[in-house]
Amino acid sequence: MQRLYRKRIVLGVGGGIAAYKSAELVRRLRDQGAEVRVVMTRGGAEFITPLTMQALSGHPVHLDLLDPAAEAAMGHIELAKWADLILIAPGTADLIARLAQGIANDLLTTIVLATDAIVAVAPAMNQAMWRDASVQANIRLLEERDFRIFGPASGSQACGDVGFGRMLEPDDLAQSAADCFQRLSLTGKHVLITAGPTQENIDPVRYITNHSSGKMGFALAEAAIEAGARVTLITGPVNLPTPDRVSRIDVVSARDMLAACEAAIPCDLFIASAAVADYRPEVVAPHKLKKDPSTGDGLLLQMVRNPDILATIATRPDRPFSVGFAAETEHLLDYAARKLKDKNLDLIVANDVANPSIGFNSEENACSVIDRALHATIFAQTSKGKIARQLITFIAERMNQV
């Protein structure tokens, strides 16, 4: 059930005896990699304590619509936006009726009205109540509005009756929750991405760098998250917001970036989109360098090679599937193919940075991807976001062929 990996689930607990199963449901969801926030109705809190649900979910339980601390930050709206799925279990007859009528008189029903996420209800009630015409009419209303209805099952009930109305078991509900999500191309994979430039100090106020904005790497990180991956983004100095759900590590120099990459391994996929400085000053001056009349108008810096991050990762015994980037101004495919071979890569993305419409700091890109057989696949010019999604799809397909 890797489809639940890193999914955000709001579990709504209604006021029924089946609430005791909700505690086990939290564990099942978390076992499958989901992040769970629990919202309890007042009735739900009578059957199982918020402290129990807090301990199992690892987060404070939300109870009150008008909690001053939470609502200072528009808590119910934030929860509604945060969720990928709202799963209400147990869904009592009263709660189902309020949902069907669009009533928002507590925190849980308000969140449901405010969300764009999938909403699912696991009915739990006496078998006679479940058969009642009004309950069935409310269920049909919810289904017409694209609510997912999980169950109920048939069996013995707390009151002694036997029949439909029993809430599904936690394992079944977790499976139903997983079925709400598409099986994505990188589901459950750890993707490590480098982005942006590096800076190599000359002295405390000067450094050597390049024009990389980091936009392509950040777009790739966002696209990998959309594909279901867990993403670690290691970035040089850039002025870009961190994509949602991405674990970001900020570095400065090439050596910093290599150390961060090695610390982030193991990973399944390594995408090296950063523009790493090939050289650094051999000696970094401890103080600001001053003009020296004895040297005339020149300044001589002795440069040394930086470690090759991409080659280092791609030649490890536990190497991930490795994808490099070649930013070139001439002989694009030839230079990229040579880099692919020399660094032991699986794929390389070749960019013509001499073209200002797709070069550094541009909003668009176009590229060619070369594989080990030296076959080139061309991606036409479009936004970096779209190129990133196309590349992630292409890379995932190639990974599955290995």
Side-chain angles (χ1 to χ4, degrees):
M1 265 191 296
Q2 289 183 326
R3 281 170 289 177
L4 288 180
Y5 186 71
R6 293 181 67 83
K7 291 296 186 291
R8 295 171 169 177
I9 299 177
V10 169
L11 177 62
V13 180
I17 185 60
Y20 78 90
K21 294 183 182 179
S22 301
E24 187 64 22
L25 176 57
V26 173
R27 294 186 61 184
R28 292 290 179 263
L29 295 172
R30 294 193 70 192
D31 285 347
Q32 303 306 325
E35 187 173 356
V36 182
R37 298 284 199 277
V38 178
V39 176
M40 302 184 76
T41 66
R42 282 296 171 187
E46 294 293 326
F47 285 93
I48 189 166
T49 68
L51 185 60
T52 297
M53 303 303 280
Q54 177 175 316
L56 292 170
S57 69
H59 298 284
V61 171
H62 303 271
L63 293 165
D64 296 317
L65 176 60
L66 300 179
D67 181 340
E71 291 309 304
M74 293 299 288
H76 68 282
I77 298 298
E78 290 304 312
L79 275 173
K81 291 179 178 177
W82 177 86
D84 297 310
L85 168 67
I86 297 175
L87 172 55
I88 299 171
T92 62
D94 171 73
L95 187 47
I96 288 170
R98 289 187 286 132
L99 292 171
Q101 297 304 314
I103 294 171
N105 59 355
D106 64 7
L107 178 58
L108 180 55
T109 52
T110 302
I111 290 172
V112 170
L113 285 186
T115 194
D116 291 325
I118 302 165
V119 182
V121 180
M125 65 196 73
N126 172 268
Q127 54 87 24
M129 294 174 69
W130 173 250
R131 288 188 288 106
D132 185 84
S134 61
V135 172
Q136 292 302 308
N138 288 333
I139 290 292
R140 287 193 295 273
L141 272 175
L142 294 180
E143 289 177 327
E144 289 171 5
R145 296 173 191 161
D146 294 326
F147 281 60
R148 313 289 176 90
I149 307 300
F150 296 164
S154 179
S156 60
Q157 301 181 322
C159 61
D161 287 358
V162 177
F164 282 94
R166 181 183 176 91
M167 190 171 88
L168 294 180
E169 297 304 312
D171 283 336
D172 297 323
L173 288 175
Q175 180 62 60
S176 295
D179 290 342
C180 290
F181 299 103
Q182 179 183 358
R183 192 178 297 277
L184 302 174
S185 59
L186 289 178
T187 295
K189 302 295 186 183
H190 178 203
V191 178
L192 175 61
I193 299 174
T194 64
T198 61
Q199 293 178 357
E200 309 298 333
N201 287 340
I202 297 172
D203 62 23
V205 298
R206 302 180 181 92
Y207 56 80
I208 296 170
T209 191
N210 57 64
H211 294 295
S212 175
S213 66
K215 292 176 182 177
M216 192 67 234
F218 276 63
L220 285 165
E222 190 166 5
I225 285 288
E226 291 175 1
R230 173 170 67 93
V231 177
T232 301
L233 175 64
I234 299 174
T235 178
V238 296
N239 186 27
L240 295 171
T242 306
D244 191 26
R245 308 188 205 192
V246 168
S247 176
R248 173 174 174 170
I249 300 170
D250 289 287
V251 297
V252 176
S253 70
R255 287 177 291 178
D256 295 337
M257 185 170 282
L258 175 58
C261 287
E262 291 181 319
I265 288 174
C267 64
D268 300 289
L269 169 61
F270 178 50
I271 303 177
S273 69
V276 181
D278 292 324
Y279 295 90
R280 68 180 187 275
E282 183 176 26
V283 177
V284 178
H287 302 288
K288 179 182 176 182
L289 294 174
K290 297 294 185 181
K291 295 176 184 176
D292 185 352
S294 66
T295 63
D297 294 331
L299 173 66
L300 180 63
L301 288 175
Q302 181 66 37
M303 306 292 284
V304 295
R305 285 286 297 270
N306 267 323
D308 190 319
I309 297 172
L310 182 52
T312 300
I313 302 300
T315 55
R316 289 171 57 107
D318 60 346
R319 71 183 296 277
F321 191 92
S322 299
V323 180
F325 271 66
E328 304 291 350
T329 58
E330 60 179 353
H331 307 300
L332 178 63
L333 297 182
D334 290 340
Y335 286 162
R338 185 185 308 169
K339 186 174 181 179
L340 171 86
K341 181 179 178 181
D342 291 346
K343 297 179 188 289
N344 190 37
L345 306 181
D346 297 287
L347 298 170
I348 193 162
V349 182
N351 290 113
D352 180 6
V353 293
N355 182 345
S357 67
I358 57 172
F360 289 127
N361 288 298
S362 64
E363 296 300 327
E364 296 193 341
N365 203 355
C367 60
S368 297
V369 181
I370 303 174
D371 60 22
R372 285 181 178 267
L374 301 185
H375 176 265
T377 302
I378 298 172
F379 293 83
Q381 182 170 340
T382 185
S383 71
K384 285 184 174 177
K386 290 182 180 178
I387 285 284
R389 287 190 287 274
Q390 292 170 7
L391 286 175
I392 288 295
T393 298
F394 182 85
I395 292 167
E397 290 174 351
R398 291 306 180 95
M399 286 179 67
N400 290 331
Q401 295 172 6
V402 174

